[in-house]
Amino acid sequence: MAGTSPGWLLQLIRSREDWTRRQLLAETGLSRMTLFERLDALFRAGLVYEAGAAGPTGGRPAALIRFAGQGRVVLVLDVDHHTGRIAVTDLAGRSLRERELPLDVAGPPDAVLATVCDVGASLLASGAGETLVGVGVALPGPVSPVTGLLRPATVMPGWDGFPIAAFVGSRWPVPVLLENDARAHALGEAAERPGTTPLLAVKYAHGIGAGLVLDGALLSGFDGAAGDIGHIRVSGDADAPVCRCGRTGCLAAFASGYALLRRRGVTPSSSDDLAERLATSPELREAARLLGRTLAGLVALVNPQTIVLGGALGRLPAVVDEVRTAVRADALDRLTSELEIVPSTAHHPAAAGMAALVTGHVYAPAAVDAVVAT
């Protein structure tokens, strides 16, 4: 039965730091023989270990049983419009080593991926005693939850249908998971605020994207396009600016970092350069107000507990102030009286989010059962 399998038992063991056999018997309701059989399978697979004795019990000391997560790492390839952030994390999403490099995501996918994979290989090689369990790839485009392939993305011509997971998997024979960067960002923000739900996270930089996390689960949408708020149409005027998607009047055409720089005649480059150029500009305040008015509509739909503003522009104090003011002005008081609108304080939320996705996949009960059965 799924509820009594070794994988199910490991999921329980991973839910807290340590257990004794007696505690596991009480928690699971399994017979002593069944529990010991399941534990033996996990011990043989190297997935759990004994970590010494529990505190004094008045009798023979009970051995502590823990998940064997030491030295297991995730490689995260976080690919943005003009920047790659490559990180090696532990299973909790804490960055152990990382590197940032400039890139052009509109370039050929094989060349872009080869570059970030080379950096990833270098970071992995600089570690010691580590086991890579999976690779997470965050991308600025919609990822199909059915096929795992990138859907057509305006900023990534030539990537549609490219076998990204297979390309990366040819370097490392481990599971490779893809996710939209803004949704990965949202998962990382949710990990920073356990118990906060619904949590709406916005990544505001060269583009504008969002992710919604409800009771710990990420909303991907029917075809992987949930959170693509940059293409909500905010103006039907005939002279509204043309968006990179080809339509007119999109939020991104007015308010994205890309649009703001292009209006100044500046070629967009790295995220740090973006914040430096726009941090004090009146155009950014106007753009943030428009973003806030758009988010007010989402607040009416999902009634979030918290909105986290991240990305090179989203976490700027002026943007947070303007968004907060606009949301509270446009949404009903009963939706905003307890609503928190805060800047991101996470170091690299997309890395934490991708690590959570990869870890959840690798240690899902069915995946663990398949491992122990071999």
Side-chain angles (χ1 to χ4, degrees):
M1 293 173 60
T4 62
S5 72
W8 173 83
L9 181 60
L10 181 67
Q11 187 175 55
L12 176 63
I13 291 171
R14 290 182 60 228
S15 69
R16 74 184 203 201
E17 186 175 359
D18 50 46
W19 297 79
T20 64
R21 287 173 172 81
R22 182 184 295 275
Q23 290 169 337
L24 288 171
L25 283 168
E27 184 73 20
T28 63
L30 295 174
S31 70
R32 189 178 185 86
M33 178 178 294
T34 300
L35 176 70
F36 286 9
E37 286 177 350
R38 301 293 185 260
L39 281 175
D40 184 59
L42 295 176
F43 277 118
R44 285 187 280 106
L47 292 169
V48 297
Y49 70 104
E50 289 190 350
T57 60
R60 181 180 177 182
L64 294 174
I65 296 172
R66 291 180 178 170
F67 169 58
Q70 315 96 312
R72 300 176 191 258
V73 298
V74 176
L75 174 64
V76 176
L77 311 176
D78 181 12
V79 179
D80 205 343
H81 294 218
H82 298 280
T83 307
R85 294 187 71 182
I86 319 306
V88 175
T89 78
D90 64 14
L91 297 186
R94 292 180 289 261
S95 181
L96 304 175
R97 301 178 297 283
E98 65 180 59
R99 190 177 304 168
E100 187 171 307
L101 68 154
L103 55 79
D104 182 4
V105 78
D110 53 348
V112 173
L113 288 172
T115 298
V116 296
C117 284
D118 286 346
V119 173
S122 176
L123 288 175
L124 288 170
S126 65
E130 294 175 343
T131 300
L132 179 67
V133 302
V135 181
V137 185
L139 299 159
V143 176
S144 169
V146 176
T147 67
L149 294 174
L150 187 71
R151 303 283 295 155
T154 307
V155 299
M156 304 174 71
W159 287 70
D160 181 21
F162 184 84
I164 299 170
F167 185 97
V168 176
S170 68
R171 300 285 294 263
W172 299 285
V174 294
V176 178
L177 273 67
L178 275 59
E179 185 51 274
N180 170 263
D181 62 341
R183 292 203 299 262
H185 180 102
L187 266 183
E189 295 292 356
E192 287 276 308
R193 298 166 176 81
T196 301
T197 185
L199 181 141
L200 178 63
V202 179
K203 183 180 179 185
Y204 182 22
H206 287 97
I208 305 173
L212 180 67
V213 180
L214 178 62
D215 294 330
L218 181 67
L219 177 68
S220 295
F222 172 72
D223 201 24
D228 200 2
I229 65 171
H231 297 291
I232 293 176
R233 200 173 191 193
V234 296
S235 173
D237 294 346
D239 60 349
V242 178
C243 182
R244 285 191 283 178
C245 73
R247 303 190 315 154
T248 59
C250 292
L251 174 64
F254 285 99
S256 69
Y258 176 89
L260 294 176
L261 287 183
R262 288 300 296 266
R263 245 175 266 151
R264 289 184 168 196
V266 175
T267 301
S269 54
S270 72
S271 294
D272 288 341
D273 182 55
L274 177 71
E276 183 179 338
R277 288 179 180 274
L278 295 174
T280 59
S281 71
E283 297 94 338
L284 180 62
R285 283 190 171 273
E286 183 180 348
R289 283 193 291 273
L290 188 57
L291 172 60
R293 298 194 67 179
T294 305
L295 291 176
L298 301 182
V299 166
L301 178 65
V302 302
N303 189 199
Q305 179 181 351
T306 300
I307 296 176
V308 185
L309 300 171
L313 299 179
R315 66 179 70 211
L316 294 175
V319 171
V320 177
D321 289 344
E322 294 291 349
V323 168
R324 188 183 289 131
T325 299
V327 169
R328 298 197 187 285
D330 280 19
L332 289 173
D333 289 346
R334 62 185 174 85
L335 293 171
T336 61
S337 60
E338 302 295 327
L339 172 64
E340 285 191 309
I341 302 176
V342 297
S344 172
T345 57
H347 169 63
H348 189 177
M354 291 309 303
L357 279 179
V358 170
T359 302
H361 174 83
V362 170
Y363 296 106
V368 172
D369 291 340
V371 169
V372 300
T374 58

